[in-house]
Amino acid sequence: MSPTATRASDYQAQFEAFESGLSLNGSGWLHQHRKAALARFQELGFPTARRGNEAWKYTNVAPIARGAFTSAANGQEPSVTPADVRRLAPDARGWTRLVFVDGRFAGSLSSPPRNDGVRVANLAEAAATDRDLVERHLTRYAGYDDEAFTALNTAFLRDGAFIGLERGQTIDDAVHLVFVATGREATAANPRVLIVAREESRATIVESYVSLGDAARFTNAVTEIALEPGATVDHYRLALESPATYHVGLTRASLGRDATLTSASITLGAALVRHDLGVSLDGPGASCRLNGLYATRDRQHVDNHTFIDHASPHTTSRQYYKGVVDGESRAVFSGRVLVRPGAQHADAQQANRNLVLSQGAEVDTKPSLEIFADDVRCSHGATAGHLDEDAVFYLRSRGLDEDMARGVLVRGFVQEIIDTIGLNAVRAFTTRLFAASLAGA
Amino acid sequence: MLEIRNLHVAIGGTEILKGVDLTVNAGEVHAIMGPNGSGKSTLTNVLAGNPAYQVTAGEVRYQGADLLAMPPEIRAREGLFLAFQYPVELPGVRNREFLRTAVNAIRQHRSLDPMELKDFNKLLQEKIKLMKMDSSLVKRSVNEGFSGGEKKRNEMLQMAVLEPRLALLDETDSGLDIDALKTVAEGVNQLKRPDNAIVIVTHYQRMLNYIIPDFVHVLIDGRIVRSGGRELALELESQGYEGIRGDVAATAGAEAGG
Ligand SMILES: Nc1ncnc2c1ncn2[C@@H]1O[C@H](COP(=O)(O)OP(=O)(O)O)[C@@H](O)[C@H]1O
Ligand SMILES: [Mg+2]
């Protein structure tokens, strides 16, 4: 019997156990998605570098396939305290907070929106209470036909976050979604987020993926964001799990006319992080600004894949990802920008800069522009370089020892991205986190 | 304070300094002049400890100790300061925080407690005023996007804050307009005390109208070919380095012949 078959039957058995524990009231339609997604996952299997698979060329997910990760069993009490949540992730007064422990919604740790008109809820409930909206949008942006991990996430879809903004509605304080992985060995979580922002609405949303303890974990997260015309969303995604965690995430956004998405993707700590961020600029005037920051060490692996689809004229995209790569670690950046025929006056800029601190570290950065319109402005750049020794000497000539000098320069390198973080609590938290992580760099 | 004996320095196998001798005592102001490429910046960089330069022979004593054996940060903490000819840009490193880190590194070396933030800010404001600097520059990244003149002033600000015992100014005057030059000179003159010393590297005598040197040395092709008082700078101004070069060649020829 081949190992693949063993795993397939494992997932089938897991799926049956998982589904039998769900109540189907009002969300039978979801059951159909789950079943179809599991079948699709069984066909696709985990991606491998073979089969000419560019998207997974540099990132080996065999440890995930081998890891026999299983979803958290039902009915376990979260062993997480409110203090843990505040310590592990950014926090500020007034934020609405949904907390998930090992993929399951933890109501006791969550704080509902203060304003009744704001719909922020566990997706499992929203699938019934806001069925029309959820059914219309869920799986629409992150389909499970081609993406094995998204298929797996959808097959095991249960809890997650639903954020629904009414037309013209503004949420001043951030909505914080905290996904905590606890100490139970070989647990998988498949959290799902759906954000639907109606016309001219506005919100700031933070997703934090964190761990308590250092057991081997697998997080497989999918986020879908729909921005109707004129909507504005600031989206922060912090993947900060423990060094034994494998994290695969996929975020898909669709932007209508004049909608604006600002995204910051901050990555630190896990054994492997793969994040696919796809933004489709579907309406004229839509624009996105995507920033990313990562630091890797030891044998960590961080892989950011971005895809910007300029599908309409007068659309703008800005991407700036920076990373510090140390030890035997590896950073991958693949940025694809597509300007479709007719998307005149598209304006796309992309840059990825890496600071390489060790001989053993590796950077694979691959920007690509595919342009099928003639009146466009597009640029991209990618670099991987070492610390400037003249700069190190300059600092030493002012009394800083060599370690201090290098630390100051490395922190300066990341500062440029940190400065783009508009949300104070996230900026302060990220500053502290990277300062601590890069102190000895 | 500083004694340089027979200093030979190479970069990547090419000898740049070919036996420099120089003594600087506390309370003195020295000027080193010389044409482009003669080795002036090489000398200042070696004194500051730039690892890109190899000392192939000679010795340097600073306050009685072996300067060349000290790492650059120890030289700085012991009071040596180089105002760079081409200050590097440090993206993302805030000027104010950088200066505070430097001040406290030096204080720690001298067994002093870190300076209170309030005291540091006061000191910084004072020195910003002294250097007539745009105070927004200290909130920015060190030298990043600064004009040539702003970079030079920023070097002077650092010098004023760190209060060195031995200050080396490498062409601080170039890129400064006359008003800026006067301000910088005033700042330098305020630093002058009987227990410290200043070495000014320049190839114009302009700066020396405002900071009066006790000694002037002419560095050509890696050697100090003449030393004298303030009048040597004026002589250089009128005759140019070619004149001095001619003198030297004549002297060398006479020696060889005699
Ligand atoms: N990093 C370097 N690599 C190779 N040669 C250098 C380097 N820096 C300076 N030089 C050479 O050393 C000589 C002296 O340079 P420098 O000390 O900068 O002169 P000055 O400051 O008097 O103009 C010049 O010929 C210059 O080209
Ligand atoms: Mg020079």
Side-chain angles (χ1 to χ4, degrees):
Chain A
M1 189 168 39
S2 79
T4 316
T6 310
R7 278 199 311 278
S9 58
D10 281 355
Y11 278 103
Q12 185 66 44
Q14 229 192 90
F15 179 74
E16 278 159 20
F18 166 74
E19 274 239 305
S20 70
L22 300 179
S23 91
L24 294 180
N25 75 48
S27 56
W29 62 275
L30 243 177
H31 168 69
Q32 299 306 322
H33 272 312
R34 289 193 194 105
K35 244 176 46 181
L38 181 76
R40 191 63 190 137
F41 172 69
Q42 301 283 32
E43 285 162 22
L44 291 168
F46 283 108
T48 59
R50 281 164 278 134
R51 299 189 234 155
N53 190 356
E54 266 305 301
W56 293 90
K57 185 171 165 187
Y58 298 110
T59 296
N60 178 11
V61 298
I64 298 174
R66 272 200 311 270
F69 294 98
T70 56
S71 295
N74 293 320
Q76 290 181 342
E77 274 303 304
S79 52
V80 178
T81 67
D84 291 330
V85 175
R86 279 194 301 273
R87 176 172 54 84
L88 295 169
D91 191 35
R93 197 181 291 276
W95 284 10
T96 297
R97 194 194 303 128
L98 297 188
V99 180
F100 302 83
V101 176
D102 295 331
R104 299 303 309 275
F105 179 60
S108 61
L109 296 170
S110 302
S111 51
R114 290 180 307 176
N115 178 337
D116 282 349
V118 177
R119 283 179 308 159
V120 177
N122 181 5
L123 186 59
E125 288 161 26
T129 58
D130 289 83
R131 175 179 164 170
D132 286 353
L133 199 61
V134 174
E135 192 175 352
R136 191 156 67 242
H137 290 282
L138 197 71
T139 75
R140 181 163 154 190
Y141 314 99
Y144 47 81
D145 275 352
D146 305 318
E147 300 283 350
F149 284 106
T150 303
L152 187 63
N153 172 281
T154 309
F156 289 92
L157 193 157
R158 178 195 285 183
D159 288 352
F162 169 70
I163 300 171
L165 301 167
E166 299 292 350
R167 191 179 296 234
Q169 184 175 42
T170 295
I171 309 184
D172 290 322
D173 295 313
V175 177
H176 191 193
L177 314 175
V178 189
F179 302 92
V180 189
T182 67
R184 284 189 288 274
E185 201 61 41
T187 305
N190 290 283
R192 185 83 170 214
V193 176
L194 175 64
I195 300 164
V196 180
R198 304 294 303 273
E199 288 175 338
E200 304 294 338
S201 61
R202 190 177 267 277
T204 298
I205 295 152
V206 184
E207 292 177 29
S208 298
Y209 296 87
V210 298
S211 329
L212 206 55
D214 45 17
R217 302 294 318 246
F218 171 42
T219 300
N220 179 29
V222 174
T223 296
E224 294 176 275
I225 305 173
L227 301 191
E228 291 192 350
T232 299
V233 163
D234 288 353
H235 184 252
Y236 297 89
R237 189 181 198 281
L238 287 72
L240 312 172
E241 289 146 314
S242 74
T245 302
Y246 300 93
H247 178 112
V248 176
L250 178 137
T251 303
R252 289 273 184 273
S254 163
L255 276 63
R257 181 174 33 77
D258 294 327
T260 304
L261 174 71
T262 305
S263 146
S265 180
I266 313 287
T267 305
L268 191 73
L272 179 149
V273 175
R274 160 71 176 246
H275 184 224
D276 272 272
L277 173 55
V279 178
S280 198
L281 303 170
D282 293 322
S287 71
C288 67
R289 180 176 291 277
L290 317 179
N291 293 311
L293 183 62
Y294 46 90
T296 57
R297 58 170 60 186
D298 304 325
R299 302 191 60 84
Q300 291 172 342
H301 184 108
V302 169
D303 177 352
N304 279 291
H305 266 62
T306 65
F307 173 45
I308 316 278
D309 188 347
H310 286 262
S312 266
H314 296 282
T315 45
T316 305
S317 67
R318 295 282 180 271
Q319 295 182 70
Y320 196 10
Y321 275 64
K322 278 182 117 172
V324 180
V325 191
D326 200 355
E328 305 273 298
S329 69
R330 190 172 193 183
V332 180
F333 178 81
S334 166
R336 189 173 155 225
V337 174
L338 170 66
V339 180
R340 290 185 189 264
Q344 301 300 358
H345 306 288
D347 180 349
Q349 285 177 19
Q350 179 189 78
N352 171 230
R353 312 230 174 276
N354 296 280
L355 181 58
V356 181
L357 296 182
S358 64
Q359 288 290 321
E362 183 177 332
V363 171
D364 298 287
T365 174
K366 201 184 66 175
S368 83
L369 295 175
E370 296 160 49
I371 301 171
F372 300 100
D374 45 28
D375 188 5
V376 301
R377 287 176 50 195
C378 294
S379 70
H380 63 75
T383 56
H386 299 279
L387 273 184
D388 175 5
E389 291 304 321
D390 287 339
V392 174
F393 172 61
Y394 186 82
L395 289 169
R396 294 180 74 189
S397 80
R398 299 303 183 241
L400 282 69
D401 67 32
E402 183 157 2
D403 284 350
M404 285 167 84
R406 291 184 186 275
V408 163
L409 293 173
V410 172
R411 289 193 296 277
F413 180 84
V414 304
Q415 191 65 42
E416 196 182 5
I417 298 295
I418 289 177
D419 285 342
T420 68
I421 297 175
L423 193 59
N424 290 338
V426 173
R427 190 177 56 248
F429 188 82
T430 307
T431 304
R432 248 185 295 129
L433 209 61
F434 276 75
S437 167
L438 299 172
Chain B
M1 173 166 295
L2 181 74
E3 274 174 76
I4 305 175
R5 295 282 165 262
N6 189 34
L7 184 65
H8 290 252
V9 174
I11 309 174
T14 310
E15 187 165 61
I16 311 281
L17 296 185
K18 303 167 183 173
V20 171
D21 294 276
L22 180 69
T23 300
V24 177
N25 296 307
E28 294 175 351
V29 176
H30 289 243
I32 297 176
M33 305 183 72
N36 272 331
S38 57
K40 303 184 296 296
S41 294
T42 301
L43 178 60
T44 58
N45 269 275
V46 164
L47 294 176
N50 191 334
Y53 298 80
Q54 298 97 45
V55 175
T56 51
E59 89 171 311
V60 181
R61 303 203 72 80
Y62 172 64
Q63 296 182 328
D66 179 1
L67 182 76
L68 300 177
M70 300 179 198
E73 59 273 21
I74 300 299
R75 302 181 196 198
R77 293 173 195 175
E78 288 289 331
L80 189 145
F81 180 91
L82 167 59
F84 286 84
Q85 182 177 6
Y86 303 111
V88 295
E89 301 194 0
L90 307 178
V93 181
R94 299 267 194 281
N95 214 1
R96 177 198 297 269
E97 277 70 41
F98 156 61
L99 262 171
R100 197 159 149 244
T101 309
V103 165
N104 286 332
I106 292 170
R107 286 176 65 88
Q108 189 181 21
H109 181 73
R110 297 175 188 167
S111 304
L112 297 169
D113 287 334
M115 196 178 265
E116 295 283 336
L117 183 59
K118 162 166 102 349
D119 297 334
F120 172 77
N121 285 336
K122 211 176 121 211
L123 173 75
L124 188 60
Q125 278 317 312
E126 210 175 276
K127 304 301 185 184
I128 285 171
K129 231 186 257 154
L130 175 69
M131 289 300 165
K132 297 203 175 81
M133 199 161 118
D134 177 354
S135 62
S136 73
L137 291 179
V138 298
K139 295 183 191 134
R140 289 174 39 189
S141 295
V142 180
N143 295 326
E144 193 188 30
F146 287 20
S147 70
E150 284 170 340
K151 284 181 184 166
K152 295 302 176 72
R153 269 191 209 233
N154 199 37
E155 294 292 286
M156 288 300 100
L157 176 70
Q158 293 175 29
M159 182 184 76
V161 170
L162 300 179
E163 297 186 327
R165 290 182 198 138
L166 175 62
L168 311 171
L169 277 55
D170 192 352
E171 300 210 22
T172 300
D173 52 342
S174 56
L176 291 183
D177 61 37
I178 191 71
D179 292 331
L181 185 72
K182 280 186 190 163
T183 309
V184 164
E186 253 168 59
V188 173
N189 286 330
Q190 290 216 12
L191 182 85
K192 252 171 69 176
R193 290 199 313 254
D195 61 343
N196 62 23
I198 301 168
V199 176
I200 296 169
V201 169
T202 178
H203 58 225
Y204 306 107
Q205 89 93 32
R206 189 173 77 140
M207 174 96 146
L208 306 180
N209 291 332
Y210 304 100
I211 309 171
I212 312 295
D214 302 301
F215 300 94
V216 174
H217 313 274
V218 182
L219 184 72
I220 294 182
D221 194 22
R223 289 188 182 87
I224 289 180
V225 296
R226 270 187 67 184
S227 295
R230 191 188 167 199
E231 65 290 346
L232 183 54
L234 299 168
E235 190 186 325
L236 278 173
E237 178 104 311
S238 60
Q239 295 186 19
Y241 293 115
E242 283 310 313
I244 295 281
R245 230 192 276 265
D247 281 3
V248 174
T251 317
E255 275 169 10

